[in-house]
């Protein structure tokens, strides 16, 4: 009898020492890379161009016509030379993923724009005109001296003055045109820097450039339509890069079930693609706001779990059944 009581007491102690699980909460989740990053071509979107135009106008309004304008986003053409990364490949941050070049006709066009030949010609013409004005001014002084001595007529002086006024008018027009040409040349250089890099100039237009990875991780996706020789003229999604170990599982959980979950709870996940196998995961995030705002609909919250994936057997986008055992009583 005494032995039976002792065994019963030990069993009761073990029972009290372990939490009693009241139920298993189940929901569907999907795998995601923790730092899923889309790698795009450098082209500006129409929305980005609108933002640039608004910024440029604001700078001009606040600082005047001579203010330094913001760098205009890239809108040119790029020709794909080489694909340097493939799906599943591990890449480091800033590693080259794609090599591209600028079409030769675009380079020639840019070189002509940046050559500033017209600008140099206008500067030479202005310098010659100012030299001519100085000569006319000296000629007018001599005519005035001769007029004082009665050796020059009033008509001669009037003709010289008219010539000087005409030359000064040409000087103002040429000076205004030269200022506008300089502004245009400055804008063309900024555009070239946006296309070819900060060191771009009339004598330094690189024939090629590269798309690099923003993070260290694995190449998860490659645009199948982008091939060597293809010319891109608008913003294009090229790659998806992200880490895969650990991998995240995100799931929408009903508000009634959510009240029973806590950060740190352990879960098991069974994936349809791997029957008979389960994975251990941990809840790492429970949001404070629901995904829906409609008061007529029940609220669901996006819960996040962390799942070790050392063999990279789990891929991004896999669906799985998540099960969490929650203890009985208040938490």
């Amino acid at each position: 009898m005494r032995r039976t009581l002792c065994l019963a007491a030990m069993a009761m102690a073990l029972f009290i020492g372990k939490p009693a699980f009241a139920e298993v909460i189940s929901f569907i989740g999907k795998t995601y890379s923790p730092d899923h990053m889309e790698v795009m071509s450098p082209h500006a979107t129409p929305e980005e161009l609108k933002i640039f135009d608004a910024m440029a106008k604001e700078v001009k309004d606040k600082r005047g016509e001579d203010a330094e304008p913001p760098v205009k986003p890239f809108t040119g053409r790029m020709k794909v030379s080489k694909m340097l990364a493939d799906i599943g490949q591990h890449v480091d941050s800033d590693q080259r993923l794609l090599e591209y070049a600028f079409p030769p006709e675009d380079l020639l066009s840019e070189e002509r724009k940046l050559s500033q030949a017209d600008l140099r010609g206008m500067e030479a013409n202005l310098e010659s005109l100012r030299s001519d004005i100085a000569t006319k001014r000296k000629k007018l002084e001599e005519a005035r001296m001769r007029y004082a001595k009665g050796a020059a007529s009033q008509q001669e002086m009037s003709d010289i003055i008219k010539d000087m006024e005409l030359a000064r008018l040409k000087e103002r027009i040429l000076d205004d045109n030269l200022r506008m040409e300089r502004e245009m040349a400055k804008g063309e250089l900024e555009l070239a820097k946006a296309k070819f890099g900060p060191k771009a100039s009339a004598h330094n237009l690189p024939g090629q450039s590269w798309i690099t990875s923003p993070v260290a991780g694995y190449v998860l996706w490659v645009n199948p339509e982008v091939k060597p020789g293809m010319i891109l003229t608008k913003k294009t999604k090229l790659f998806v890069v992200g880490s895969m170990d650990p991998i995240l599982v995100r799931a929408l959980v009903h508000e009634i079930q959510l009240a029973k979950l806590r950060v740190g709870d352990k879960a098991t996940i069974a994936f349809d693609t791997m029957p008979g196998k389960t994975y251990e995961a941990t809840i790492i995030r429970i949001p404070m706001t629901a995904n829906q705002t409609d008061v007529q609909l029940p609220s669901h919250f996006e819960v996040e779990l962390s799942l070790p994936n050392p063999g990279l057997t789990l891929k991004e986008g896999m669906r799985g059944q998540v099960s969490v055992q929650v203890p009985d009583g208040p938490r």
Side-chain angles (χ1 to χ4, degrees), residues 7 31 33 45 47 49 60 94 144 147 156 175 228-229 240 261:
L7 290 173
T31 54
S33 168
T45 63
E47 291 75 18
L49 289 174
K60 185 179 292 186
D94 293 327
R144 282 173 175 167
Y147 179 77
E156 182 183 354
D175 195 38
V240 173
L261 299 178

Side-chain angles (χ1 to χ4, degrees), residues 46-294:
E47 291 75 18
E48 290 169 338
L49 289 174
K50 289 180 181 178
I51 292 172
F52 165 80
D53 291 338
M55 289 176 58
K57 184 177 183 304
E58 183 179 358
V59 169
K60 185 179 292 186
D61 291 343
K62 288 184 177 179
R63 304 180 188 175
E65 293 290 337
D66 296 331
E68 184 77 18
V71 176
K72 188 171 184 177
F74 176 57
T75 56
R77 303 193 304 164
M78 51 179 284
K79 184 177 182 180
V80 178
S81 303
K82 296 178 183 177
M83 303 293 288
L84 303 176
D86 205 352
I87 295 174
Q89 179 179 336
H90 183 271
V91 293
D92 296 321
S93 179
D94 293 327
Q95 182 171 329
R96 294 172 179 177
L97 305 177
L98 178 148
E99 179 183 297
Y100 65 92
F102 300 97
E105 59 271 24
D106 289 5
L107 288 175
L108 288 173
S109 175
E110 291 293 339
E111 287 174 358
R112 283 195 295 268
K113 291 177 183 177
L114 297 175
S115 67
Q116 299 185 356
D118 293 340
L119 179 62
R120 299 292 173 254
M122 292 176 68
E123 288 174 341
N125 291 339
L126 183 59
E127 187 65 28
S128 175
L129 182 59
R130 284 173 174 168
S131 178
D132 186 46
I133 291 173
T135 301
K136 291 181 185 299
R137 185 180 296 112
K138 186 176 180 181
K139 188 176 179 180
L140 178 61
E141 290 174 358
E142 292 173 351
R144 282 173 175 167
M145 291 175 63
R146 287 188 291 109
Y147 179 77
K149 296 177 181 179
S153 66
Q154 182 70 42
Q155 184 64 44
E156 182 183 354
M157 290 182 58
S158 297
D159 291 342
I160 296 174
I161 291 172
K162 286 180 181 178
D163 285 345
M164 282 194 62
E165 289 176 348
L166 180 60
R168 284 171 176 166
L169 177 60
K170 290 180 178 178
E171 180 190 26
R172 289 195 295 271
I173 293 173
L174 188 54
D175 195 38
D176 288 342
N177 290 340
L178 182 59
R179 181 179 58 81
M180 292 176 61
E181 190 69 24
R182 283 173 176 158
E183 287 297 320
M184 290 175 62
K186 188 177 180 180
E188 292 292 351
L189 181 58
E190 292 300 325
L191 285 175
K193 288 180 178 180
K195 293 179 183 179
F196 305 106
K199 296 182 179 180
S201 68
H203 307 291
N204 182 31
L205 291 181
Q208 62 184 19
S209 190
W210 295 270
I211 300 294
T212 59
S213 176
V215 294
Y218 292 88
V219 179
L220 308 180
W221 179 85
V222 177
N223 190 330
E225 297 180 358
V226 176
K227 306 289 184 183
M230 183 178 184
I231 294 180
L232 303 177
T233 59
K234 62 181 180 179
K235 186 173 284 293
T236 304
K237 182 178 174 182
L238 302 172
F239 301 90
V240 173
V241 179
S243 59
M244 293 295 287
D245 182 28
I247 199 169
L248 296 181
V249 175
R250 295 192 181 113
L252 290 178
V253 179
H254 193 278
E255 55 188 310
I256 295 177
Q257 294 178 313
L258 186 86
K260 303 174 184 179
L261 299 178
R262 297 292 183 272
V263 171
D265 284 350
K266 303 299 180 182
T268 59
I269 305 178
F271 293 93
D272 298 337
T273 55
M274 300 178 182
K277 188 173 183 178
T278 59
Y279 293 81
E280 299 294 324
T282 304
I283 295 177
I284 60 172
R285 185 177 67 88
I286 298 176
M288 297 294 290
T289 56
N291 277 39
Q292 300 93 343
T293 57
D294 192 331

